[in-house]
Amino acid sequence: AQSVTQLGSHVSVSEGALVLLRCNYSSSVPPYLFWYVQYPNQGLQLLLKYTTGATLVKGINGFEAEFKKSETSFHLTKPSAHMSDAAEYFCAVRGSNFGNEKLTFGTGTRLTIIP
Amino acid sequence: EAGVAQSPRYKIIEKRQSVAFWCNPISGHATLYWYQQILGQGPKLLIQFQNNGVVDDSQLPKDRFSAERLKGVDSTLKIQPAKLEDSAVYLCASSLDDFGTQYFGPGTRLLVL
């Protein structure tokens, strides 16, 4: 079974500041990890994903995340926040093997950008 | 490439009424998912189809919810009768197969009064 914990339901950062959204996971098998973004009244858009290989993953809109197995974490970062980054962000996990394909989401982090 | 289409985008009904949502997945995607997203929570999988067969419906309240995917393409999700606690956004997603990346539609926002 897999689960995700997102620390901080609301995060506020100033425009131009570092964005850090935290995600910790639990998985009984090697995980696949995802970050999705949801803008108001829209569906979820994939930002980035980790499956295998390089543990630092780069995504769209300047975001990146690092898979740290020892810390069971997959935190999302962006060096410089932009007003357009204001949205809700969801971390998700699934197993990497047959029988563990179900995607399990965290409760989300709402990111606010302060002008 | 067209994305996942859903309709309607918004629906307001009274409790005990019935409602249906429609989803058209990305062309060629064999796997289709319906999620329920309650305000303040992450999406929760209701049902997963592989072509027109059900793979996982363990979290679908089968006494009131039903879903079908005729011909392995479009899908409909029905609630009958609706309860207040069904107020949520219903998201449809599709993927090439059950291991592929899921792509989401814009969702249908349901309000039950």
Side-chain angles (χ1 to χ4, degrees), chain A residues 32 34 36 38 40-46 49 88 90 94-108 110, chain B residues 9-10 33 35 37 39-45 48 56 58-59 89 91 97-107 109:
Chain A
Y32 286 175
F34 304 80
Y36 282 86
Q38 187 175 34
N41 299 317
Q42 295 187 27
L44 278 70
Q45 179 183 6
L46 181 67
K49 63 181 179 181
E88 186 135 24
F90 292 92
R94 68 185 301 178
S96 57
N97 61 338
F98 180 76
N100 285 285
E101 305 93 340
K102 188 167 84 173
L103 198 58
T104 300
F105 286 87
T107 53
R110 183 169 299 278
Chain B
R9 292 295 312 277
Y10 305 92
Y33 313 80
Y35 289 86
Q37 185 180 16
L39 188 64
Q41 299 180 21
K44 181 186 80 171
L45 180 68
Q48 176 184 341
D56 183 350
S58 58
Q59 298 192 94
V89 176
L91 295 164
D97 54 38
D98 57 3
F99 239 74
T101 298
Q102 296 182 29
Y103 296 90
F104 285 78
R109 188 174 298 272

Side-chain angles (χ1 to χ4, degrees), chain A residues 39 58 81:
Chain A
Y39 298 102
K58 295 186 184 299

Side-chain angles (χ1 to χ4, degrees), chain A residues 21-88:
Chain A
L21 304 183
R22 299 179 187 274
C23 172
N24 287 89
Y25 70 90
S26 172
S27 179
S28 55
V29 298
Y32 286 175
L33 294 156
F34 304 80
W35 276 100
Y36 282 86
V37 60
Q38 187 175 34
Y39 298 102
N41 299 317
Q42 295 187 27
L44 278 70
Q45 179 183 6
L46 181 67
L47 271 180
L48 49 79
K49 63 181 179 181
Y50 167 80
T51 54
T52 58
T55 56
L56 181 62
V57 180
K58 295 186 184 299
I60 61 172
N61 302 337
F63 284 93
E64 61 182 35
E66 187 170 12
F67 169 59
K68 292 187 176 181
K69 183 179 178 181
S70 61
E71 299 177 9
T72 61
S73 69
F74 191 58
H75 301 330
L76 182 70
T77 60
K78 181 174 180 177
S80 177
H82 191 272
M83 294 301 294
S84 61
D85 295 327
E88 186 135 24

Side-chain angles (χ1 to χ4, degrees), chain B residues 30-89:
Chain B
T31 310
L32 185 146
Y33 313 80
W34 282 102
Y35 289 86
Q36 181 191 57
Q37 185 180 16
I38 293 173
L39 188 64
Q41 299 180 21
K44 181 186 80 171
L45 180 68
L46 291 176
I47 189 167
Q48 176 184 341
F49 290 95
Q50 180 73 14
N51 295 309
N52 60 351
V54 175
V55 173
D56 183 350
D57 63 357
S58 58
Q59 298 192 94
L60 186 74
K62 299 179 185 65
D63 58 334
R64 298 183 301 105
F65 286 65
S66 64
E68 61 182 8
R69 191 183 184 197
L70 299 176
K71 301 181 182 178
V73 181
D74 293 5
S75 177
T76 56
L77 175 70
K78 297 179 181 178
I79 308 175
Q80 182 178 10
K83 293 185 175 181
L84 297 177
E85 58 261 37
D86 298 331
S87 295
V89 176

